[in-house]
Amino acid sequence: MLSLFLNPFTMIAGTALVLSPIIIHLINRLRYRRVPWAAMEFVLKSLKKNRRKLILKQLLLLILRCALVLLIGLLLARYIGSALGFGQPRGTLHVVLLDDTASMTDYWREDGVTKSTFGQSKKAIVDDIAAGAADAGTSQAIALIRLTNPGETYHVDRVNPQSIADLQAWLDGVKPTALHVALLPAIDAAKKVFESDVQNKRVLHVVSDFRAKDWSGPASEALAKAVPDAIDGKSGSLHLLDTAHPPRSASRAAALDHGNVGILDLQPETRIASRHMPVEFAVALANFTPSGRKNVRVTVRVNGQVREDASLSVLEMPPGETTATFIATFDRVGVNMVTASIEPDEAGLMVDDMRYAAIEVREKVPLLFVTAADEAGRVKQEADGFYLRALFLEAAKGFDVVERGPQELEQTTLERYPTIFLLNLPRLTDKARANVESYVRNGGGLFVALGDQADADFYTRWHAEGKGAFPVPISKATEPLNDAQRFERMFDPALPPKAYPRGDSHPVLARIYRDDRNREVNTYLKFLFVDRYLPVPRARWSPEPGRTEELFTLPNYRSIDDYKEPAQKLLARLPLDDAKFAKFRDKLRDYQRRVRETLVANRPLYALADAFDALLLDRADASQPNAVNLQEYWSRSDQALLKTEVQRFIETIRYGDPLLVAHTFGHGRVLALTTSAGSAWNDWASGPARPYWVMLMLESQKHLSSVGADANRAVGSALQLTFDPNRYDPRLRRFFMPEIPPDALPGAGPVDQGEQVAQPSGNKLAYVFDDARVPGVYRFDLMTKIGGEAATAESLAYAFNVDTAAEGDLRRASRDELATAAPGMQLHAPGSGLARILKDRKSDLSESPWFFLTLLFLLIAEQALAVHLSYHVRGDARMANA
């Protein structure tokens, strides 16, 4: 009822005053005492005849006076009901979604003052939304929800000057975050708020920078469904308040942005290093602008100390991603923080100009070698670990090789080793297999080399059709080569490769070929000799893309007779008699002849593959202007199918069984070598191809012990840790490690974030850490058990960074894209008129001329009736009395 008035309490007082004429009338009636008087009796008898008419006139006068008081009360209370006085106007509930993600920290300078998108957003909420709602003619309420915390809502039950001041004070304490979140959870939260208040009208405001990454493409379809559902279709309204700079132009659909340059990634080649060991870091920079940048300085700090020897300048930084590397060494044992930063631009984001990495430094990096040989057999030259031990202890330095038997895998201390080498083990016990799988799943690195003792059935079961830790199914080992086969492979005058690298995208191969674009190092592979291996039945192997990758493949040593028929069928499909291919006919006939000569000569399969390769890759001689270019022929759409089939045939005849396979299992990595690690089945470690083997083993160890996806943990994401309850105490201590400069005050150090107690998860201790809201390095101290009681502490450290890939691109969605993602939206800029729209002002009685005419009529009628009913002496009578 009170919502019918702008000044409801004035109306309450006015209602009480309506009774005043009645009270005065009754008081006047009580003031007189009846006194009999003969003359008056005569008069009363005379008046009795007209009594009913007089009473009606008096009642009418009383009603007129009450009505006058009532109308004056309505005037002062500013009645806003319907024309008949029975309407109940609906109030409005404004739900405001405030974008407080990392992109909202976009800053710029204007008139010497630094401003930010988030600062403009807070100002717009007060000046455009709250101020506009305060001037509305109905009751207004506001519910404010931040995107990064949709479970918490700030409520303004009734918008007035005091509540606006409280809202301003609350917003002053709100800061933008470094998080990246989706908009949909906040929209769902807004829907719940609306559903809890069905009486009021729904108005949804989204205050954001409206980046294209969040409002176009795949995200658009989900938003187009969620937004109308939240505001109940056409019954609600939607306002998008774009606070980014520069303001949108009314004449242009697209919006400008400041552009941004940030750091995408910072990743060490290994997560555990020894003191003074050079560690290579890869830093990935992102240029989100359409123009290139020059001389971008990357400053490197280790534990807060600037390292000029590691810092570098990127001379050319075109649009997109650019990767650079630097080397850093460490002289402090324990967790070390590495920071890479770039100088901030005049406008854009600063939060993604810095990135953190954590690396654990030990005196020596322990490597576990597990073999079936006894202690005396491990030191023999033909032992599986002989050359690996020599490599890591004598050549590479900084490593501590621990050699144990298979029983070591049943212990609960595997986490201390960054990499474990299983060398020619027949099989694993169930307990050892479970321990190894848990170790790898939690981020450990596993290298498995097979040999004469390997049980093919066990490793195939461990593969578990792609679900296990071992990457491939295997068959029984091949038989040793006879003397003729050995001589043919070792002394083939063509010197074909004895192993084929399958590209250079995988980290193990990328570092080998990074500075060797001409693949000169592959020359060593021509002198490799592999006698025996355990073949992979490809028909039973379906590697999952992105999870299992074949790094090296042995040549196909089958007979060429097995492929003569399919080769002839492919040659027969060349369109030699088709007139439209007449210009290519002679050259195609020439290659057809070469392939057939290879088939007739019964040459090795690699020669057949080379012949088909030449057919596909032939180019015109630039020195001959009229030369025929077969690339033009193969580029025709009607020859695309034949080209694809030829490419598949080349791969089939060139590549045999996998030699080295990489696999991801949980958070860890596995490399499987289908031949021996020593010299029993091959001479890779001891023969002419040894230089390649040295590089391959070192890069393999770096890959297996690298941090992988752990280096790209985004702030706000959950970290899950599991540990053995028999080794660790369930209490875990958490610390935030700020970057401490060398001149920091005494006592500056890690910030204690309290203790966390593990939750049981099967037979493991499980921790979930989701409190990383600030970029930096977080350390976790665990207490190991000795004699059943907590003793020494072990530390783990993880870096959490801004999701630059998601937040760094400041390109904004166009009007059309916003209209698609948010049907029915109204797009505004700060100060562009949203407050005027939200006033939604209702006219009250004080603005109606009919009200004042009615009031004037009642005043005249009341005065006339009062005069009529009062006693007045005629003018001649007054003169006579005088």
Side-chain angles (χ1 to χ4, degrees), residues 575-585 633 636 638-639:
L576 301 179
D577 299 327
D578 194 329
K580 64 182 179 181
F581 296 107
K583 65 178 293 188
F584 306 109
R585 182 178 299 144
Y633 164 73
R636 294 176 60 99
D638 53 358
Q639 297 302 304

Side-chain angles (χ1 to χ4, degrees), residues 437-451:
E437 288 185 344
S438 176
Y439 161 81
V440 177
R441 191 181 288 110
N442 289 334
L446 181 66
F447 186 96
V448 182
L450 304 178

Side-chain angles (χ1 to χ4, degrees), residues 285-314:
L285 308 176
N287 181 4
F288 296 107
T289 68
S291 58
R293 300 292 181 92
K294 293 181 180 295
N295 298 320
V296 178
R297 181 66 176 172
V298 180
T299 301
V300 177
R301 293 189 296 274
V302 176
N303 300 320
Q305 176 70 52
V306 175
R307 291 286 186 88
E308 294 294 346
D309 57 332
S311 301
L312 67 150
S313 294
V314 179

Side-chain angles (χ1 to χ4, degrees), residues 10-28 61-73:
T10 303
M11 188 56 208
I12 294 174
T15 303
L17 291 176
V18 170
L19 301 176
S20 59
I22 301 175
I23 295 172
I24 294 172
H25 177 75
L26 295 177
I27 291 174
N28 285 334
L61 178 61
L62 182 63
I63 291 172
L64 287 174
R65 289 172 174 171
C66 291
L68 284 170
V69 176
L70 177 62
L71 289 179
I72 292 174

